[in-house]
Amino acid sequence: MITFSIITITYNASQVLPATLSSVMAQTCKDVEHIIIDGASADDTVALAEAYRKKNLMEDSLHRVIVVSEPDKGLYDAMNKGIAMATGDYVLFLNAGDTFPAPDTLEMVEAAVGDGEELPAVLYGDTDIVDADGNFLRHRHLMAPRKLSWRSFLKGMLVCHQAFYARTDLAKLTPYNLHYRYSADVDWCIRIMRLGAKRNLAMRNTGMVVAHYLDGGMTNQHHKDSLRERFHIMCHHYGLIPTAIMHLWFAIRNYIRKKS
């Protein structure tokens, strides 16, 4: 049986957090650890998280909920705190406002691994974009490839961060690089996959939508800064010339898409 550590990072997120908490609590997979790392919110975020934790206890849920609220050095510092606390087989990030597509999502992800099989380095799937009411807006324009390797992200972040389930032991060896402010998740995913490849571990496509991503977010709000960081990250992992050629193709592809 596979166990999951879900990490939710919050800061003044009282408007969007309830949907995430309800989605996690509704999961029929009971071997779930939900770690909520809050950056000392000034609104009702912590009160909502604590009420959720107590509700899990009162209803004798097998979901283990941990709530931590304290100042941090930013989003990725908070994520590193969550990874350090995680005890499940896999760690995944479900940010405030993001949800699972269905109550059995984690059960279906678990079913992608055969009995007795060595746990893949990464379990992954597709992502749909939703609005604040949970209504479907569109499929994420980058689709998860049938086969994934660390070289795949040269073509862009083909798997959304929320749809990327990393083995916790690998995640603990590769914390987020706090040098990056907006795209450390891209670097982190690549490093997880590179470490998995060194250990000859599989990357498993679950063949389904595994995350609903709330439209908007920090990288959307800082789009240009995020793109600059991503270019630097890709140069670091893939080299300047392959990265420059691929970005030229991105520009051509976007031009064609706008014209069509």
Side-chain angles (χ1 to χ4, degrees), residues 2-241:
I2 293 175
T3 58
F4 297 95
S5 291
I6 303 167
I7 300 174
T8 299
I9 308 302
T10 62
Y11 181 69
N12 292 341
S14 61
Q15 295 299 310
V16 295
L17 182 60
T20 304
L21 301 182
S22 296
S23 178
V24 175
M25 192 162 186
Q27 288 301 297
T28 52
C29 176
K30 296 303 181 182
D31 286 307
V32 173
E33 174 182 68
H34 194 184
I35 303 170
I36 302 170
I37 306 293
D38 179 75
S41 291
D43 64 359
D44 292 332
T45 298
V46 177
L48 289 169
E50 283 293 346
Y52 163 75
R53 182 182 66 82
K54 292 176 182 177
K55 186 175 182 181
N56 271 272
L57 289 172
M58 291 174 60
E59 297 193 7
D60 197 27
S61 169
L62 292 182
H63 292 186
R64 176 173 175 246
V65 179
I66 302 167
V67 179
V68 175
S69 182
E70 60 187 16
D72 54 49
K73 299 176 184 177
L75 175 64
Y76 298 115
D77 178 46
M79 288 180 168
N80 281 341
K81 290 180 182 180
I83 290 173
M85 298 173 66
T87 63
D89 296 314
Y90 285 92
V91 62
L92 59 137
F93 290 90
L94 201 66
N95 292 329
D98 300 333
T99 55
F100 292 111
D104 64 349
T105 297
L106 289 180
E107 279 198 273
M108 297 296 289
V109 170
E110 181 182 5
V113 181
D115 291 339
E117 177 186 3
E118 183 173 14
L119 294 180
V122 176
L123 303 173
Y124 67 98
D126 285 305
T127 306
D128 285 343
I129 312 301
V130 300
D131 65 16
D133 295 320
N135 299 313
F136 172 83
L137 295 178
R138 61 189 179 276
H139 299 298
R140 186 172 183 263
H141 74 281
L142 292 176
M143 302 293 289
R146 186 173 64 87
K147 291 186 177 181
L148 182 71
S149 79
W150 70 268
R151 294 180 178 84
S152 299
F153 276 26
L154 178 61
K155 299 177 182 178
M157 195 172 186
L158 300 183
V159 179
C160 181
H161 192 213
Q162 286 82 342
F164 187 96
Y165 294 48
R167 260 181 50 165
T168 302
D169 59 341
L170 303 184
K172 287 181 181 292
L173 294 173
T174 54
Y176 288 86
N177 186 342
L178 301 188
H179 173 76
Y180 301 119
R181 294 186 61 194
Y182 307 111
S183 297
D185 52 342
V186 179
D187 173 70
W188 182 76
C189 289
I190 294 171
R191 288 190 291 120
I192 290 285
M193 292 186 288
R194 292 187 77 160
L195 182 56
K198 287 181 180 179
R199 298 189 176 187
N200 295 314
L201 297 173
M203 315 279 182
R204 180 67 44 77
N205 189 338
T206 63
M208 58 184 247
V209 174
V210 297
H212 280 176
Y213 176 77
L214 179 63
D215 195 32
M218 188 174 73
T219 52
N220 286 352
Q221 296 167 18
H222 300 275
H223 186 60
K224 290 184 179 179
D225 292 326
S226 175
L227 289 178
R228 291 191 193 98
E229 278 196 355
R230 288 190 183 206
F231 185 84
H232 177 78
I233 289 167
M234 291 173 69
C235 285
H236 172 73
H237 289 288
Y238 307 119
L240 174 60
I241 293 176

